[in-house]
Amino acid sequence: NTPDPEGGKIVRDASGEPTGVLVDAAGWMVWGLIPEPPTQEKLPYMQEISSYMALSGITSFMDAASGPDGLDLYAALAESGGLHQRVRPALSIPEALFGDPSGAVAWANDLARAYAHVPDLSFGTVKIFLDGVMEYPAQTAALLQPYLDEAGNPTTNQGNLYVDVKTLSNIVTTFD
């Protein structure tokens, strides 16, 4: 009986039962309930992934949404000799800092300083989740025109913006 949260959807089957698919903000309802595995538990998998990427010729990549846990993992990976790429993490700005642009910049700078010792890790990119995804049935990415339904007819759904224009303008200007 849980209602869909703002900016998200609990996908349900024809009888109204949840399918187990949580879209956008609905996923955050359970994300905090799932314990993050410790870095040492994730390390062997990342070593294998880094080696596989190297064998495939991948010499660098951008982590599209990273934070302290991911940076800890890159540091451990580098320390173990298992980081074979240059990595540019996009630091995912916590929603709590959206209204405090100076605090968001300080947070990002603090992380960059704390992990400056990690070879092949370079900073200068941040991420702000503005909207969702275009995939059906979620259709939560913000559009200028409404989405089409299954039959190709226009709907009233234009997706969701998770950050208002004034807040976004303030944080982007401050980072710039």
Side-chain angles (χ1 to χ4, degrees):
N1 296 326
T2 303
D4 290 341
E6 185 175 333
K9 181 174 183 159
I10 301 168
V11 179
R12 293 170 167 71
D13 64 21
S15 67
E17 290 297 311
T19 65
V21 176
L22 302 173
V23 178
D24 293 337
W28 296 115
M29 294 180 350
V30 298
W31 190 259
L33 303 174
I34 302 169
E36 181 72 26
T39 296
Q40 291 305 315
E41 190 175 314
K42 295 184 281 187
L43 185 58
Y45 301 104
M46 282 300 292
Q47 290 167 329
E48 185 177 341
I49 291 166
S50 183
S51 293
Y52 181 78
M53 288 191 305
L55 289 171
S56 299
I58 298 171
T59 60
S60 60
F61 65 91
M62 183 182 99
D63 180 342
S66 195
D69 287 341
L71 299 176
D72 284 345
L73 185 54
Y74 291 128
L77 189 59
E79 189 175 306
S80 75
L83 181 59
H84 306 296
Q85 290 79 28
R86 291 178 299 277
V87 181
R88 178 96 168 182
L91 299 176
S92 188
I93 304 300
E95 187 178 342
L97 292 175
F98 288 177
D100 179 13
S102 295
V105 170
W107 176 85
N109 285 336
D110 288 348
L111 284 176
R113 277 191 294 279
Y115 292 91
H117 68 283
V118 180
D120 295 321
L121 197 60
S122 64
F123 294 89
T125 305
V126 295
K127 174 144 186 159
I128 300 168
F129 283 94
L130 294 179
D131 63 354
V133 296
M134 293 184 76
E135 288 83 13
Y136 181 83
Q139 296 180 321
T140 54
L143 301 181
L144 297 175
Q145 299 294 320
Y147 283 95
L148 302 179
D149 65 15
E150 292 175 325
N153 299 310
T155 68
T156 59
N157 176 22
Q158 289 183 249
N160 305 309
L161 274 177
Y162 302 146
V163 181
D164 65 83
V165 173
K166 182 179 181 205
T167 300
L168 178 62
S169 179
N170 288 339
I171 199 166
V172 168
T173 302
T174 303
F175 267 98
D176 185 49

